[in-house]
Amino acid sequence: YGLGERTKQVSLFVGIIAGCVLLVLSIGCFFYCKKRKEEELKQKMILEDAAEKADSANRAKSSFLLNMSHDIRTPMNAIIGFTDIALHQQNINEIHDSLQKVKTSSNHLLLLLNEVLDLSRIESGKIHLEETEVNLAFCVIQKFLQQTSKFP
């Protein structure tokens, strides 16, 4: 009688312990899976955000190139047109006027190309910036005076 009852008690005890162990393992597995799912969701959101930023940058670059191609063509067409006019003119003053417009358009085109190259250097990290003190008020006034002197 004593041995059989004792075996039942031990079996019941072992069953309870095994059940508790399985419960603890199940709870641990649940929280591990939940945490992993949250990390995957967070990673997915990061990737979606990066993809959106890349798409936005691509759209901005396409828009920039579209605008830049127009900005480059305009002075280039002026250079070609006024050079052609100068070649067919007889009056020295008219030739001089056409060549002055060619020079102005060439300078504008060169300025645009330099800005594009500077932007490219900045993007590629190949530009060296140095810190210098600047009198901002003087620069603003000087630029304002330059702009107003262009208008009669």
Side-chain angles (χ1 to χ4, degrees):
Y1 166 77
L3 188 59
E5 190 63 31
R6 185 85 169 143
T7 303
K8 285 182 187 179
Q9 288 176 350
V10 169
S11 294
L12 182 61
F13 181 73
V14 168
I16 291 172
I17 296 294
C20 289
V21 167
L22 286 174
L23 179 64
V24 168
L25 287 173
S26 296
I27 291 171
C29 185
F30 170 78
F31 285 114
Y32 172 77
C33 290
K34 183 179 177 185
K35 183 177 179 180
R36 190 167 158 193
K37 187 77 169 175
E38 289 171 354
E39 289 173 357
E40 287 174 359
L41 185 60
K42 184 178 177 182
Q43 190 68 22
K44 182 181 176 185
M45 290 174 65
I46 290 170
L47 289 173
E48 287 174 354
D49 186 49
E52 177 61 34
K53 287 179 181 177
D55 286 344
S56 177
N58 194 28
R59 285 190 300 273
K61 190 173 272 190
S62 294
S63 175
F64 169 78
L65 289 175
L66 178 67
N67 291 333
M68 189 51 59
S69 66
H70 172 74
D71 289 346
I72 290 174
R73 281 189 193 124
T74 301
M76 196 65 193
N77 284 331
I79 292 167
I80 293 168
F82 284 114
T83 302
D84 191 45
I85 290 171
L87 289 173
H88 293 92
Q89 289 176 338
Q90 302 297 323
N91 184 330
I92 192 73
N93 289 332
E94 290 175 352
I95 293 172
H96 184 268
D97 183 52
S98 292
L99 291 177
Q100 187 61 42
K101 290 176 182 174
V102 167
K103 182 179 180 191
T104 301
S105 295
S106 298
N107 287 336
H108 180 71
L109 183 60
L110 182 61
L111 178 68
L112 284 171
L113 292 174
N114 284 336
E115 288 176 358
V116 169
L117 291 174
D118 287 346
L119 183 63
S120 175
R121 285 187 201 113
I122 289 170
E123 278 188 352
S124 67
K126 294 182 179 178
I127 194 165
H128 174 70
L129 301 177
E130 59 183 62
E131 292 183 31
T132 59
E133 289 188 25
V134 176
N135 183 339
L136 185 59
F138 176 76
C139 291
V140 170
I141 291 169
Q142 185 179 21
K143 188 64 175 176
F144 176 75
L145 292 174
Q146 287 175 351
Q147 292 298 321
T148 56
S149 69
K150 292 181 182 180
F151 299 107

